[in-house]
Amino acid sequence: MTNSMSKAVEVLKSFNPFVEEIDDREIKISLSNDKVISALDVLKSIGFSHLSLITCVDWIDDNQFELVYILFNWEDGGKILVSTRIDRSNPKFITVKELWPVARFYEREIHEFFGIEFEGNDDMRPLFLELWDEKPPMRKDFDPSKYSKEKFPDRKYEKDVIKEAKIFRGEING
Amino acid sequence: MKERTMWEQIADSLRSRSLWMLHYCTGCGAMELPPTMTARFDMERFGVAPMATPRQADIMLITGYLNTKTLRRVIYTYEQMADPKYVIGFGSCTINGGIYFDSYSTINRLDYYIPVDVYIAGCMPRPEAILEAFNYLMEKIRKGEADGWKRYKENYEWYKQNQIRSLGEVYVHDEFHE
Ligand code: SF4
């Protein structure tokens, strides 16, 4: 752990975190979801000022979404993953766009691909997909190959045994 | 195929000697184009040169996968090109979807939406294969077989209907330009 990371763990003690060490420059801190915003605020103030990414994991068996905030410290290269789990059937969380304005776009992306609402961030226009007409595609219960079959016709192949045999014998060039 | 007049034959044979290529590089195969264009493989010795805008290009080279978003732009670009125009589908993604065959956003078959004259198989094809494809395309142009642009006009309804089936709407709505 780098200095800044040990300091962060020290400061976050009162938040009751579950800390996992991934490697010497990366730790994961899991928190209950009412503490996340204040924890992020604290981390920002002690040097983890760069929000690299907000991302999401669909734990369909637990009926939960996991939100992950990846923070980076420019002083010694420390990286902290702040993670929390929210209910999957009513996916809602609070925006962090007041802390990092760039979060607007990450949240739009997560809304588009997982269908999570972010309270306080009203701009939820689609960002990447155009004219999407199904459930959010990164959810585990969405079936991409079925969608692809319906929407994007495939090429039909017919097996030509004689031609294959000729290629195999080197008579024609496959 | 219709018989070509003598003038058309002459025109075709001249056309095949000077081709300008518009490369649509969103797929990973775009990586193979810099060596093809420049000193290492040097495609100019075959008379093919890169061009930056669709209106002055003859060949459209599609390097790899297209998703619904980029397919819209490709159709725009293709329709802007002046006749005669040729399309080369580069890589297995354009042929049958390649490794993205079951993706929710990438198309599986390019010739369903715009006519393709030459396909290059491989994931990704090497510069030698690209040069081979150019030579094959020139051969086809000389013989008058590279008639994708005519097929597009004749079967316009069919192509449009396929485009609409997969894209919903071909018109591009773009939050940054509207
Ligand atoms: S064919 Fe292979 S190299 Fe080309 S775009 Fe598809 S995955 Fe990438």
Side-chain angles (χ1 to χ4, degrees):
Chain A
M1 258 200 259
T2 63
N3 291 339
S4 68
M5 282 151 76
S6 350
K7 189 176 163 209
V9 173
E10 198 59 41
V11 172
L12 289 185
K13 273 247 162 69
S14 59
F15 288 97
N16 218 347
F18 175 71
V19 181
E20 248 177 290
E21 207 171 323
I22 299 171
D23 60 34
D24 30 314
R25 284 179 173 272
E26 198 168 340
I27 52 170
K28 180 171 171 187
I29 298 181
S30 309
L31 295 161
S32 67
N33 50 29
D34 50 331
K35 302 207 178 96
V36 173
I37 304 291
S38 28
L40 288 173
D41 201 0
V42 171
L43 287 174
K44 187 183 175 188
S45 66
I46 61 166
F48 286 86
S49 55
H50 179 97
L51 175 69
S52 305
L53 184 67
I54 308 175
T55 182
C56 182
V57 187
D58 185 0
W59 298 99
I60 189 165
D61 295 336
D62 307 343
N63 196 28
Q64 280 176 330
F65 282 123
E66 179 179 7
L67 282 173
V68 185
Y69 296 80
I70 302 176
L71 305 183
F72 186 75
N73 188 331
W74 283 98
E75 264 143 46
D76 58 5
K79 206 174 183 188
I80 295 187
L81 280 59
V82 179
S83 132
T84 185
R85 296 218 178 186
I86 58 172
D87 184 19
R88 194 174 183 279
S89 30
N90 181 23
K92 253 197 195 144
F93 204 63
I94 303 159
T95 176
V96 293
K97 76 170 186 192
E98 321 299 342
L99 288 174
W100 289 280
V102 66
R104 298 191 323 268
F105 292 95
Y106 296 139
E107 287 170 359
R108 263 171 83 178
E109 184 187 353
I110 291 175
H111 175 259
E112 185 171 29
F113 285 98
F114 292 91
I116 298 175
E117 296 285 340
F118 288 90
E119 276 167 44
N121 187 353
D122 298 326
D123 180 13
M124 283 294 158
R125 284 170 298 163
L127 186 60
F128 294 112
L129 304 173
E130 288 182 343
L131 303 177
W132 183 251
D133 51 2
E134 260 276 352
K135 71 172 78 160
M138 290 292 166
R139 289 193 177 203
K140 286 268 159 62
D141 49 0
F142 171 76
D143 183 353
S145 74
K146 182 166 155 261
Y147 184 83
S148 169
K149 274 214 186 73
E150 273 166 23
K151 200 119 190 212
F152 311 118
D154 217 338
R155 189 180 295 281
K156 299 272 171 298
Y157 285 102
E158 273 148 34
K159 205 166 164 64
D160 186 347
V161 186
I162 296 177
K163 189 171 175 207
E164 271 174 31
K166 278 187 181 159
I167 293 169
F168 193 65
R169 293 208 328 238
E171 285 171 16
I172 54 172
N173 195 353
Chain B
M1 210 194 319
K2 266 210 320 270
E3 257 323 294
R4 289 175 299 162
T5 62
M6 191 182 67
W7 289 117
E8 273 170 345
Q9 288 182 22
I10 294 172
D12 275 345
S13 116
L14 294 176
R15 262 171 208 149
S16 75
R17 273 156 231 267
S18 159
L19 293 169
W20 293 86
M21 176 188 74
L22 178 72
H23 36 294
Y24 194 85
C25 293
T26 55
C28 14
M31 215 51 237
E32 298 290 339
L33 283 177
T36 315
M37 286 179 196
T38 53
R40 180 75 175 86
F41 288 95
D42 191 10
M43 68 184 192
E44 270 200 48
R45 65 203 155 108
F46 296 105
V48 186
M51 185 69 225
T53 70
R55 285 169 207 272
Q56 284 98 34
D58 303 306
I59 306 180
M60 176 142 83
L61 183 81
I62 306 225
T63 64
Y65 51 76
L66 289 173
N67 54 32
T68 50
K69 197 170 196 168
T70 46
L71 180 62
R72 280 193 188 96
R73 274 75 180 171
V74 163
I75 294 167
Y76 263 44
T77 316
Y78 181 72
E79 291 185 351
Q80 278 182 36
M81 286 167 66
D83 291 343
K85 50 193 171 186
Y86 314 99
V87 179
I88 301 183
F90 171 102
S92 41
C93 280
T94 53
I95 301 176
N96 59 7
I99 53 174
Y100 301 106
F101 71 99
D102 64 348
S103 160
Y104 59 87
S105 62
T106 57
I107 60 160
N108 287 342
R109 189 182 146 180
L110 179 59
D111 55 23
Y112 197 67
Y113 310 97
I114 54 174
V116 177
D117 296 297
V118 179
Y119 273 122
I120 313 175
C123 175
M124 49 187 67
R126 292 211 15 104
E128 292 94 326
I130 307 176
L131 297 179
E132 183 77 32
F134 284 143
N135 280 323
Y136 182 60
L137 179 68
M138 289 172 202
E139 194 64 45
K140 276 186 96 173
I141 295 173
R142 252 172 253 140
K143 285 193 201 143
E145 288 168 6
D147 56 354
W149 53 285
K150 287 185 200 151
R151 271 184 283 139
Y152 192 67
K153 280 185 195 155
E154 281 159 19
N155 307 317
Y156 189 70
E157 292 300 314
W158 187 77
Y159 283 113
K160 267 286 152 274
Q161 166 202 324
N162 294 342
Q163 290 165 6
I164 301 238
R165 169 176 170 191
S166 294
L167 299 178
E169 190 188 357
V170 182
Y171 190 77
V172 174
H173 297 280
D174 188 332
E175 83 174 81
F176 298 105
H177 297 107
E178 268 182 2

